Amino acid sequence: MLKGRNALVTGSTSGIGRGIAEALAEQGANVMLHGLGDPGEIAACCIALRERCGVTVLHSDLDLRYTENVEALTRYALDAFGSVEILVNNAGIQHVAPIEQFPVDKWNDILATNLSASFHTIRTLSAQMKQAGWGRIINMGSAHALVASPFKSAYVAAKHGLAGLTKAVALELASSGVTVNTICPGYVLTPLVEKQIPDTMKARNMTREQVEQDVLLAAQPTKRFVSIRELADLAVFLCSDQARSITGTSLSVDGGWTAQ
Ligand code: NAD
């Protein structure tokens, strides 16, 4: 379905982004993986995906906290592929702390990675999508793009911002064949969630089991984590022609969390 398309998926060396990049490659898209991690493992992942799907697979490890790096990333993707039709802004980080103790550097890093990097990738890639008359921009939001939880001020602010950015850009690109949407997952058991469990245990004085049951899954009426495959399949659908009228939306995949 996506043969001949080129995709840039930020934060795709791990978790949800990796699942989406693999699903796009399975559909025939060339993919630029992006993100931090062990160089040997990432190289092995690129080779395996290339051999399995018969597509071009590249990787960049530029740190998205810095504007010039985001610009270099999109330039690299354009130089390597000639065009980028699918952009998935997925890279994200989290920090959990009460507002009075929230570290200023964490606030800055979260806003830069989870929000501003998406502004910069969209800013630098949308012109050529518009010109081609086809494009798909998928921003990885969260249930926290729609509702809040305590101790996550920076993350909630950044994700709400991303939902707003999605709407504004969707309107600007609406008549050009380019759609822009936010996927809003509930909890998915990835390294990002694993990492916040100890902080939440500390902030709320809870055991690990209490955090999983009473904090993470307490909000999710289905009482199970969302799977990476569910999100990857939705991303593939958003890239299909059947999804051409879906734009400017926040699509919840949260087990009923935000219905409450
Ligand atoms: P993850 O920690 O498994 O992966 C995050 C990816 O982002 C990695 O590839 C990492 O290298 C990259 N990254 C982080 N900071 C970076 C930086 N400064 N520069 C470059 N790359 C950087 O996380 P995940 O759980 O797969 O999360 C992916 C996205 O999904 C995030 O935007 C997250 O907010 C969102 N999300 C996750 C959940 C969940 O429950 N896991 C729920 C809702 C939304």
Side-chain angles (χ1 to χ4, degrees):
M1 183 182 93
L2 297 174
K3 202 166 167 34
R5 305 289 192 201
N6 304 307
L8 167 61
V9 185
T10 69
S12 48
T13 50
S14 168
I16 297 167
R18 183 161 169 178
I20 291 177
E22 288 180 0
L24 295 175
E26 283 163 12
Q27 294 296 322
N30 299 315
V31 289
M32 178 162 295
L33 298 179
H34 162 267
L36 317 172
D38 177 72
E41 269 176 37
I42 295 169
C45 170
C46 289
I47 292 167
L49 199 56
R50 200 176 295 143
E51 284 176 358
R52 182 159 70 84
C53 301
V55 297
T56 302
V57 182
L58 302 170
H59 169 252
S60 160
D61 65 355
L62 285 160
D63 186 331
L64 297 191
R65 287 175 299 170
Y66 308 103
T67 305
E68 60 272 22
N69 283 357
V70 190
E71 291 173 345
L73 174 66
T74 55
R75 229 179 9 252
Y76 175 36
L78 282 176
D79 287 348
F81 291 138
S83 61
V84 174
E85 292 82 18
I86 300 169
L87 166 64
V88 183
N89 286 309
N90 168 81
I93 50 172
Q94 172 66 285
H95 187 80
V96 180
I99 189 69
E100 301 85 354
Q101 289 141 35
F102 209 95
V104 172
D105 61 332
K106 294 286 183 198
W107 169 274
N108 289 334
D109 286 352
I110 290 173
L111 268 287
T113 310
N114 297 16
L115 179 58
S116 298
S118 302
F119 161 68
H120 296 303
T121 54
I122 295 170
R123 172 174 71 77
T124 50
L125 289 174
S126 56
Q128 50 92 45
M129 287 186 192
K130 246 162 107 172
Q131 204 172 5
W134 195 95
R136 295 290 186 263
I137 299 173
I138 300 171
N139 297 320
M140 192 51 62
S142 162
H144 285 121
L146 305 169
V147 296
S149 295
F151 312 120
K152 296 186 176 179
S153 52
Y155 188 84
V156 170
K159 294 296 186 183
H160 274 67
L162 195 58
L165 175 68
T166 297
K167 290 184 196 176
V169 180
L171 293 179
E172 290 183 40
L173 302 180
S175 61
S176 63
V178 181
T179 68
V180 192
N181 292 290
T182 304
I183 295 179
C184 297
Y187 279 103
V188 190
L189 205 50
T190 66
L192 180 139
V193 169
E194 279 292 341
K195 271 181 246 158
Q196 65 186 280
I197 291 176
D199 290 343
T200 310
M201 286 165 63
K202 210 160 99 190
R204 296 192 181 220
N205 195 20
M206 286 178 159
T207 64
R208 184 190 168 92
E209 203 183 347
Q210 283 171 324
V211 169
E212 282 196 15
Q213 288 305 313
D214 302 343
V215 180
L216 302 182
L217 292 178
Q220 240 156 261
T222 49
K223 294 293 171 206
R224 59 178 154 70
F225 288 103
V226 174
S227 78
I228 291 173
R229 192 71 221 186
E230 289 164 328
L231 300 170
D233 286 348
L234 177 58
V236 167
F237 177 70
L238 286 173
C239 292
S240 71
D241 286 334
Q242 291 94 318
R244 70 179 180 209
S245 301
I246 303 176
T247 195
T249 60
S250 293
L251 296 154
S252 292
V253 188
D254 63 7
W257 175 348
T258 52
Q260 299 173 93

